[in-house]
Amino acid sequence: DQVSRASSMLNPGSGEAPGEARADGQDREAEVTVPLDSIWPSDNPWDVPCLLPEMQAESVPYPVWTWGSIGHRRPMPGTWHFYTADAKFESLWKRPNRVAASGPGAICEPNFSTTDQTPMAHALWGVFRRRWLGRYWQQLGLRLFVDLNVDARLHCPCPGGGDCPVNLLGVPRGWRSYSSRAHAGDPDSLLPEWEIAKEWSGSESPLFLVVGGGKAVKALAQQHGWVWVPEQIQQIKARAAEAANP
């Protein structure tokens, strides 16, 4: 698959030519292996990039960590997820190659926040960015989970996009690896996402990684065959409780 070059307007703010010297003395050219103004093949009227099915996640490499919880250059052979404040990963739109520095085994798409009041144009921009970054990371050799944790409107067909949900623009039919974030107070909100994963994958048992939530979410995951991991704050609290009550 050939990498095409296009206007740097596709990646506003990249503004750094390969080879540009950094203040800390490191050469940016050594970090950039795929051009930051690349465009990718698309199968939809919105030019949202298509993902590579051969580079989807096939398992959940352990540990599963929140991006920003440790330094991005520290070795981390597990799975990065972005179920955190957008401010902690917005900079990746300018420097997406940082994700590869830790050598992760897999990565979830960035979860650009949406609500029922988010204008559709803005929501589509978020879908474009998560898909562009996902394809970029696939080109770097990273396996990918497609994020399903979006406002319910984005699970509806896209105007002009046929029967494809807005959030799945660029995701090939048959894609089998997905991720989402659970909320302890509303575990059943995961069930519609699970149905979408099954329908789009054409399988009754796609790989579904769920981050966070309490005992009810864990029980739901066991019931449906999902991979559940607690959020890091939950893990920290659990370790503190064990230390206090040996």
Side-chain angles (χ1 to χ4, degrees):
D1 186 24
Q2 296 295 316
V3 176
S4 301
R5 301 286 294 187
S7 168
S8 59
M9 290 177 65
L10 273 174
N11 199 11
S14 59
E16 298 163 352
E20 179 183 345
R22 290 176 54 180
D24 59 8
Q26 295 182 353
D27 190 332
R28 293 193 187 281
E29 188 172 16
E31 297 183 10
V32 179
T33 58
V34 176
L36 298 182
D37 56 1
S38 299
I39 59 174
W40 317 106
S42 176
D43 62 357
N44 58 80
W46 305 102
D47 296 328
V48 174
C50 291
L51 298 179
L52 298 172
E54 63 270 24
M55 291 303 296
Q56 63 186 299
E58 297 178 339
S59 63
V60 182
Y62 184 81
V64 179
W65 289 115
T66 309
W67 177 258
S69 59
I70 61 174
H72 74 275
R73 293 186 181 279
R74 178 178 171 181
M76 206 292 290
T79 302
W80 284 121
H81 72 77
F82 298 88
Y83 299 118
T84 185
D86 291 22
K88 293 187 177 181
F89 59 79
E90 277 281 355
S91 62
L92 289 179
W93 185 236
K94 298 178 181 179
R95 301 288 303 283
N97 47 296
R98 284 186 171 184
V99 164
S102 61
I107 191 164
C108 301
E109 288 182 317
N111 179 253
F112 293 104
S113 299
T114 56
T115 71
D116 58 0
Q117 297 184 22
T118 302
M120 183 56 71
H122 186 80
L124 269 169
W125 174 234
V127 172
F128 177 89
R129 288 200 292 171
R130 76 179 62 195
R131 213 84 339 124
W132 189 96
L133 288 168
R135 179 61 186 262
Y136 178 93
W137 292 328
Q138 286 185 317
Q139 296 290 144
L140 296 183
L142 302 180
R143 293 191 172 273
L144 190 73
F145 288 90
V146 164
D147 173 42
L148 295 180
N149 186 237
V150 297
D151 180 66
R153 291 183 307 149
L154 300 187
H155 292 316
C156 298
C158 182
D163 65 346
C164 181
V166 176
N167 188 52
L168 293 182
L169 289 170
V171 179
R173 278 278 188 181
W175 186 276
R176 291 174 54 90
S177 53
Y178 302 88
S179 66
S180 187
R181 182 185 187 183
H183 300 279
D186 189 19
D188 289 344
S189 64
L190 292 163
L191 295 177
E193 297 173 3
W194 174 237
E195 292 302 319
I196 290 168
K198 290 195 295 181
E199 194 279 330
W200 202 252
S201 67
S203 168
E204 288 299 308
S205 56
L207 181 60
F208 192 39
L209 168 62
V210 176
V211 177
K215 294 180 179 179
V217 173
K218 182 177 182 180
L220 203 60
Q222 292 173 338
Q223 177 184 345
H224 292 283
W226 308 337
V227 176
W228 176 82
V229 295
E231 292 191 87
Q232 281 174 265
I233 187 64
Q234 293 172 299
Q235 298 178 46
I236 292 170
K237 288 181 178 178
R239 287 196 293 267
E242 290 177 359
N245 300 283

